[in-house]
Amino acid sequence: MKKVLVLFLLIAIGYYLVDVFSVIPFGADRIPEGNVRDFYLEKTVTDLNVPNTVTSIVVNFRGFDTLGEVTVLFLAASVLGSILYRRRSHDEEKAVLLPSSKIVASGSRLLFAPILLLGAYVFIHGHLTPGGGFQGGVIIATGFLLMLLAYKDYKVKHSIIMWVESLAGVTFAGIGLVGLIMGKMFLENFLPLGETMNNLFSGGVIPIIYIAVGFKVGSELTGLLYTLLNEKGE
Amino acid sequence: MDITTHTLLTIGFYGSSISLILIGLYAALVKKSLLKIIIGMSIVDSGINLLLVSLGYLNGGTAPIFSPTVQDTLTKTAKAVDPVPQALVLTAIVIGFAVTAVALSLIIRLYRHHKTVSIDEIKNLKW
């Protein structure tokens, strides 16, 4: 009975969604001249000298939004810690993971450093290539996840994670405040933009902010995975 | 781009994102296990993100990343796809991830208390 009702509901929702989107042509230039897209695309080249428009929107034009986003991630990590917190009692220590084979263990150890390197590459080149702080941070966290899955007693120090996270967050907010001190807007660019486009040292504050975001997201996700994996079964 | 490819793209992008939304809603409404409900919510998330990104697509458009070899950037500007939905979806993905993580931790907490994740057996959820 419930399934039939749900199916009717889904058919109704699906009908109206299809009805709405059949009117919107796919891939047509629907918006008139002088729109936000053209503004961003033009200002990215002329004002910021950065190739990647998505990065310049996320970090520069909508930098305040990204600061909020990073805060939401931090909030999720701390909520997870506080919900799952309980006093350690050693009688219920039981491993969630089975011991992994030798191939998995040595393979993970071999892959760990290249994965971290790839993550660092992705967030350092966030303003030049498709990628950025969030993506790079997630890649770094996958490296740690591999180690956590392969080695049962792999420990990630909470104090180190906390320090990296806090320093990265302070860097992000501090760059915004330095912009205020220099007489610009909050999170506005105050560094030289660099001579040539597509150079690693160009784009003003964008690479610095993205490196901070990369460290922050990477450490936060690592701490999150560590908390969830260390949840002992009962 | 001929008309058939265009129609296929339309059906592919709109159709797949709408069906992802519907599949996720079905899972969230019908399934009994809390974990499956969370998976359904994540599928709805993916569907909405795909829908937003495909709304920003432009026929024959390139990625909104400039290269230094392109001299006339403004003519290239006219052909880049909309970067604004992509930036917004980047935000939405991160928020969706945070929501999923918090929901999973709440499930773990419920499991600790009730020793089950089935919403039929957790009596406090009945109304």
Side-chain angles (χ1 to χ4, degrees):
Chain A
M1 186 59 209
K2 191 183 161 195
K3 273 187 189 172
V4 179
L5 280 179
V6 167
L7 276 179
F8 273 122
L9 177 71
L10 289 185
I11 287 170
I13 293 175
Y15 172 73
Y16 283 112
L17 278 176
V18 170
D19 202 31
V20 166
F21 284 100
S22 61
V23 183
I24 303 173
F26 179 74
D29 200 358
R30 293 178 299 272
I31 33 184
E33 281 295 309
N35 51 48
V36 184
R37 180 194 70 207
D38 292 344
F39 176 81
Y40 280 151
L41 285 170
E42 202 183 308
K43 292 284 175 189
T44 300
V45 177
T46 56
D47 288 15
L48 291 172
N49 203 19
V50 163
N52 190 343
T53 316
V54 178
T55 300
S56 79
I57 290 175
V58 166
V59 179
N60 209 292
F61 296 115
R62 299 178 61 90
F64 201 61
D65 187 39
T66 307
L67 188 61
E69 184 186 351
V70 169
T71 316
V72 167
L73 207 56
F74 171 71
L75 201 68
S78 41
V79 163
L80 209 74
S82 64
I83 286 179
L84 293 181
Y85 173 79
R86 64 173 155 192
R87 284 177 200 82
R88 293 266 166 245
S89 54
H90 289 283
D91 49 271
E92 54 182 346
E93 293 271 324
K94 213 188 331 175
V96 182
L97 301 169
L98 298 170
S100 55
S101 72
K102 219 169 196 99
I103 296 173
V104 175
S106 17
S108 315
R109 207 164 50 204
L110 195 70
L111 278 174
F112 181 57
I115 288 176
L116 289 201
L117 190 67
L118 175 69
Y121 169 81
V122 167
F123 68 67
I124 288 172
H125 290 77
H127 56 306
L128 306 177
T129 55
F134 293 100
Q135 295 90 322
V138 171
I139 291 173
I140 286 180
T142 56
F144 278 103
L145 176 64
L146 202 61
M147 290 302 272
L148 284 168
L149 288 177
Y151 294 93
K152 237 174 28 172
D153 46 358
Y154 189 77
K155 289 271 184 295
V156 183
K157 268 209 172 136
H158 265 296
S159 54
I160 295 177
I161 285 180
M162 206 189 71
W163 273 104
V164 172
E165 200 180 314
S166 317
L167 277 179
V170 166
T171 313
F172 194 166
I175 284 173
L177 289 177
V178 171
L180 273 185
I181 292 168
M182 307 280 277
K184 305 266 181 85
M185 307 283 263
F186 186 66
L187 285 172
E188 196 180 336
N189 183 45
F190 58 86
L191 287 174
L193 289 169
E195 293 299 310
T196 47
M197 200 162 136
N198 232 341
N199 202 342
L200 182 58
F201 295 101
S202 67
V205 295
I206 290 179
I208 304 173
I209 290 181
Y210 246 6
I211 287 169
V213 169
F215 271 109
K216 196 167 162 59
V217 171
S219 55
E220 256 158 17
L221 292 195
T222 307
L224 235 145
L225 291 170
Y226 186 65
T227 323
L228 280 176
L229 274 177
N230 262 37
E231 183 58 29
K232 299 286 188 285
E234 279 166 77
Chain B
M1 189 182 289
D2 55 326
I3 194 72
T4 50
T5 329
H6 186 250
T7 324
L8 272 180
L9 274 176
T10 311
I11 293 170
F13 277 97
Y14 285 165
S16 56
S17 45
I18 288 174
S19 33
L20 275 177
I21 293 173
L22 294 181
I23 290 168
L25 273 179
Y26 179 81
L29 288 173
V30 166
K31 292 292 170 189
K32 301 287 182 203
S33 164
L34 279 171
L35 278 173
K36 287 178 184 170
I37 293 175
I38 297 299
I39 292 173
M41 283 166 60
S42 304
I43 295 173
V44 176
D45 241 24
S46 325
I48 291 172
N49 290 339
L50 184 61
L51 193 60
L52 283 178
V53 169
S54 56
L55 276 177
Y57 181 71
L58 210 62
N59 280 333
T62 57
I65 298 174
F66 299 101
S67 84
T69 51
V70 176
Q71 293 298 317
D72 44 350
T73 34
L74 278 181
T75 50
K76 194 170 158 55
T77 298
K79 276 196 288 181
V81 301
D82 199 344
V84 185
Q86 300 193 4
L88 292 181
V89 163
L90 183 59
T91 312
I93 289 172
V94 176
I95 304 295
F97 174 80
V99 168
T100 311
V102 172
L104 283 177
S105 73
L106 285 173
I107 289 177
I108 290 175
R109 196 60 191 255
L110 271 173
Y111 179 79
R112 258 190 220 159
H113 192 74
H114 296 281
K115 300 281 179 281
T116 174
V117 288
S118 163
I119 50 170
D120 275 349
E121 291 169 45
I122 302 175
K123 295 287 191 296
N124 297 347
L125 288 181
K126 284 262 154 85
W127 48 277

